[in-house]
Amino acid sequence: MSVRVRMAPSPTGFLHIGNVRTALFNWLFARHEDGEFRLRIENTDTSREVAEAAEQIQRSLSWLGLDWDGAVTFQLDRQAQCAEAAQRLLAEGRAYEDEGAIRFRMPDDGVTAWDDAVRGRVEFPNEKLEDLVIIRSDGRPTYNFASPMEDVWDGITHVIRGEDHISNTPKQLNVIRAVGAEPPVYAHVSHVFGADGKPLSKRHGSVTVDDFRHEGYYAPALLNFLALLGWSYDDKTTVMSRDELVARFTLARVVSSPAVFDYQKLDWMNGVYLRALPLDEYAEALVAYVRDEGYGWDEQLVRRAAPLVQEKIERFGQFPELARFLFEDVPPDPDLLDGAVLDAARNELGRVDPFTAERIEPVLRALAQRLELSPRKAFQPIRIAVTGSKISPGLFESLELLGKERSLERLSAAAATARA
RNA sequence: GGCGCAUUCGUCUAGUGGCCUAGGACACCGCCCUCUCACGGCGGCGGCACGGGUUCGAAUCCCGUAUGCGCCUCCA
């Protein structure tokens, strides 16, 4: 039998990265097994906010490339079915009315147990299980009734979810058995925490998929990083393409201990992916990022700047800082300038034609030698005058891209500032 | 408080009784490369929570303690 899993987020806001990791494991498992990955929204009302959150979730999954099978389903649409199922349990004496609500009878002795696909056998003493409200007095089903019933109706074979559901599992198992259905295999994955061991939240940095997109992370890198939070292929493989991840993913290699989200490692991995991109793809992705973030910069120039920054930034979000000088005026720090060097550089560069990095480099190197300065000493004031920063892409390439006219203007202006 | 889950370098992890004087990656430190910053190369620092067992032998199995987290809602 083919496997079928689901992601069942509640539409309470934006997609949290911890839920994305769980979604990823579901997706990888489904694709690896050649099964289905379903998306089910656990809504309890139909407000406008819910509709937006549901759309947001789908947009985020799409951006990540986690495609789902079939139509998206909504819990609210199954209220009537839940009510019918509850009535049957009532008629069979498996449930009883309690002040208008309907409660499911939990077994009183023995244990409820299951073989968790990531944790092994888990047992709960039944005496600790209280009779569960399955239908509220207002007629709406509760989560611990609706969710397992939907898993049954959807033919879910494996429930891969967060460990916060471990305590719910015995309740859901008893409900499923009471309606005469075969329970799915459960796999509880651990949580993802911030560096302080607390649940990931805004103060740790990016937490929603949107946050990561705005920071300029690249979806395949983010997925690769996330996959390694609680799962590994072997003792040394870290960089894996989406296809490799799908081919290699198994629940047996998912660990049960919680993980801390390491932003530095994510940055490193994102850099690995960005540097490995073919230049044209890199340039297009960079242009799209700059456009989406609303900078309004000349896209042709952004495209031409791509090769200058590809090896230097690990997130697209670092592009504006490094390349702003190409698009806007950047006042240099007067203390770091050197009038003599700048004047000389302006004169020499004024004679360079065509104004290309290839022609610029020997001229500036010769200049440094004539001034008896190390290249390092000689180039730094020029860099600061032209880019406004001590840190920039390669100087010669930067000058070429800026253009002769603007380069000379900046050199003149900076030289004047230095003399003042 | 009860029940449950977890515990290997700072972080992610490998490890399923001998291959472990515990391997890899990120971070950090040093050196090399170098027009800055990066990239890349080389090297280094650093860990089995604690205490009892079991065993010829334990990071690996059992028990206890500690710590962290989760759930205990007519929330999801």
Side-chain angles (χ1 to χ4, degrees):
Chain A
M1 184 178 75
S2 171
V3 309
R4 184 180 291 162
V5 297
R6 86 306 195 275
M7 182 205 186
S10 51
T12 48
F14 290 41
L15 201 52
H16 188 278
I17 201 67
N19 294 333
V20 171
R21 204 273 313 248
T22 305
L24 174 61
F25 282 5
N26 272 284
W27 182 83
L28 287 173
F29 177 73
R31 296 293 169 256
H32 177 88
E33 299 289 337
D34 225 353
E36 288 182 30
F37 173 62
R38 298 280 189 101
L39 179 57
R40 191 166 85 202
I41 306 289
E42 304 275 57
N43 65 327
T44 49
D45 69 81
T46 54
S47 66
R48 172 154 185 72
E49 299 81 70
V50 167
E52 279 173 7
E55 273 176 39
Q56 179 66 36
I57 287 167
Q58 295 178 58
R59 265 203 305 279
S60 292
L61 289 176
S62 297
W63 179 71
L64 290 164
L66 302 184
D67 54 324
W68 57 91
D69 301 296
V72 177
T73 57
F74 293 84
Q75 183 180 99
L76 198 65
D77 296 339
R78 306 226 256 201
Q79 277 205 33
Q81 279 183 78
C82 285
E84 283 171 31
Q87 285 304 323
R88 278 197 298 274
L89 290 171
L90 211 48
E92 291 162 7
R94 315 282 312 235
Y96 58 93
E97 291 193 64
D98 175 26
E99 292 181 23
I102 298 178
R103 272 188 199 275
F104 176 79
R105 278 185 219 284
M106 286 292 170
D108 298 323
D109 44 39
V111 295
T112 297
W114 74 95
D115 291 308
D116 198 283
V118 333
R119 276 155 217 274
R121 189 154 189 90
V122 181
E123 295 188 350
F124 277 78
N126 287 333
E127 57 176 335
K128 300 294 177 189
L129 264 28
E130 288 190 7
D131 289 353
L132 175 76
V133 172
I134 55 176
I135 301 289
R136 300 179 176 84
S137 8
D138 65 4
R140 293 154 55 228
T142 58
Y143 168 78
N144 273 317
F145 184 53
S147 185
M149 289 310 299
E150 289 192 282
D151 288 336
V152 168
W153 295 324
D154 290 340
I156 300 301
T157 61
H158 294 70
V159 171
I160 304 169
R161 55 175 19 170
E163 68 170 323
D164 47 320
H165 287 288
I166 290 179
S167 303
N168 290 327
T169 304
K171 303 173 193 171
Q172 301 184 1
L173 228 25
N174 280 302
V175 166
I176 290 174
R177 288 188 182 127
V179 300
E182 183 68 23
V185 171
Y186 288 94
H188 289 95
V189 305
S190 58
H191 288 154
V192 177
F193 293 116
D196 56 0
K198 297 281 190 289
L200 261 192
S201 69
K202 203 69 211 167
R203 74 201 145 79
H204 293 108
S206 301
V207 280
T208 69
V209 172
D210 266 32
D211 292 336
F212 286 96
R213 203 178 53 198
H214 289 314
E215 293 292 329
Y217 288 100
Y218 183 59
L222 183 56
L223 288 189
N224 191 160
F225 173 77
L226 248 20
L228 259 18
L229 242 38
W231 174 84
S232 64
Y233 173 58
D234 58 16
D235 62 337
K236 43 197 58 155
T237 310
T238 52
V239 178
M240 285 171 272
S241 69
R242 172 180 310 246
D243 288 346
E244 287 170 327
L245 250 18
V246 167
R248 297 169 178 177
F249 185 84
T250 58
L251 287 176
R253 290 198 62 86
V254 172
V255 297
S256 50
S257 48
V260 170
F261 195 101
D262 184 351
Y263 289 89
Q264 285 185 311
K265 189 167 184 176
L266 203 214
D267 282 353
W268 165 78
M269 186 166 283
N270 205 66
V272 169
Y273 272 79
L274 291 189
R275 272 176 256 122
L277 236 35
L279 181 56
D280 54 337
E281 261 182 67
Y282 181 85
E284 287 318 306
L286 179 63
V287 164
Y289 173 80
V290 171
R291 178 165 54 227
D292 289 348
E293 294 301 308
Y295 281 96
W297 287 349
D298 174 28
E299 297 191 354
Q300 200 48 46
L301 191 50
V302 171
R303 198 168 281 113
R304 291 175 64 205
L308 274 62
V309 300
Q310 186 169 16
E311 279 222 335
K312 297 182 181 290
I313 64 177
E314 39 193 15
R315 285 183 287 115
F316 287 136
Q318 293 165 333
F319 178 75
E321 186 186 351
L322 196 63
R324 169 164 273 112
F325 74 96
L326 291 170
F327 310 91
E328 300 170 7
D329 282 332
V330 283
D333 179 346
D335 294 341
L336 300 174
L337 298 171
D338 180 321
V341 171
L342 295 179
D343 279 332
R346 197 208 166 288
N347 287 337
E348 294 296 332
L349 289 175
R351 286 196 288 273
V352 173
D353 187 59
F355 202 67
T356 61
E358 201 178 30
R359 297 293 189 89
I360 293 168
E361 177 163 0
V363 168
L364 289 185
R365 287 199 186 279
L367 173 69
Q369 201 156 31
R370 185 147 45 75
L371 295 174
E372 296 185 328
L373 290 171
S374 64
R376 180 193 205 86
K377 290 272 190 208
F379 296 167
Q380 197 64 345
I382 301 174
R383 178 193 319 284
I384 287 164
V386 171
T387 71
S389 170
K390 287 190 280 190
I391 300 169
S392 79
L395 181 58
F396 319 121
E397 293 77 9
S398 293
L399 285 164
E400 175 184 335
L401 213 49
L402 230 208
K404 187 169 184 175
E405 194 181 332
R406 292 166 76 199
S407 294
L408 296 183
E409 274 172 21
R410 288 190 187 182
L411 253 10
S412 298
T417 314
R419 277 190 295 273

